[in-house]
Amino acid sequence: MKRFWCALLVVLAGCSSMLPVVVEDDVRRAEGRWPGTTRGVLEEGRQKYIDRCGACHSLHLPSAFTESEWKQAVETMQVRAKVGEDEKEKILKYLYVGRGR
Ligand code: HEC
């Protein structure tokens, strides 16, 4: 029975629950690369990624692609996903620092 509920939870939550949450280490690395970047920026990026990119297909983990592949993917998907420039930057920052674990 326990197994059933676990399976159901996974289905309901989709893959977004598997996406790494923002940790202190990510924030430090982000600040090093883009001075002034806050935890909030990365968290917003993660949330936008879930909201904007998870509607049509399952979400890939940040580690699934290189930075240039991510940039290309987000730019290709940008119109379909109705992602603005500001949102795009946040999503990419989340994905870039999320790769480096
Ligand atoms: C309106 C639906 C839709 C949205 C929203 C969307 N995608 Fe996609 N995505 C697709 C389709 C359909 C494909 C299959 C290949 C193609 O048609 O280009 C795809 C393919 C991809 C791929 C290629 C790898 C694979 O899984 O096949 C990546 C990476 C990707 N999308 C990332 C994103 C990201 C990042 C976002 C958010 C910025 C996003 N997608 C939003 C429809 C969508």
Side-chain angles (χ1 to χ4, degrees):
M1 193 59 189
K2 202 166 168 201
R3 193 175 288 173
F4 169 77
W5 287 113
C6 284
L8 186 68
L9 204 67
V10 169
V11 171
L12 291 178
C15 286
S16 61
S17 61
M18 312 260 301
L19 265 194
V21 292
V22 176
V23 294
E24 203 48 48
D25 206 38
D26 297 328
V27 180
R28 225 173 308 116
R29 265 180 291 126
E31 274 174 342
R33 284 184 69 172
W34 311 285
T37 304
T38 59
R39 170 181 281 266
V41 167
L42 298 179
E43 279 172 353
E44 213 183 305
R46 179 177 185 272
Q47 197 54 49
K48 298 281 177 202
Y49 178 54
I50 295 169
D51 294 347
R52 299 277 191 268
C53 307
C56 304
H57 46 67
S58 58
L59 294 169
H60 295 275
L61 292 176
S63 56
F65 297 105
T66 64
E67 290 197 7
S68 62
E69 284 167 344
W70 270 126
K71 187 162 196 294
Q72 205 187 343
V74 172
E75 280 171 1
T76 309
M77 297 283 142
Q78 196 173 358
V79 176
R80 290 190 214 181
K82 299 187 178 66
V83 168
E85 282 305 305
D86 189 50
E87 287 175 335
K88 181 182 88 175
E89 293 305 318
K90 289 175 181 164
I91 291 171
L92 284 176
K93 282 178 181 171
Y94 164 72
L95 293 169
Y96 288 175
V97 296
R99 296 184 64 252
R101 293 192 187 170

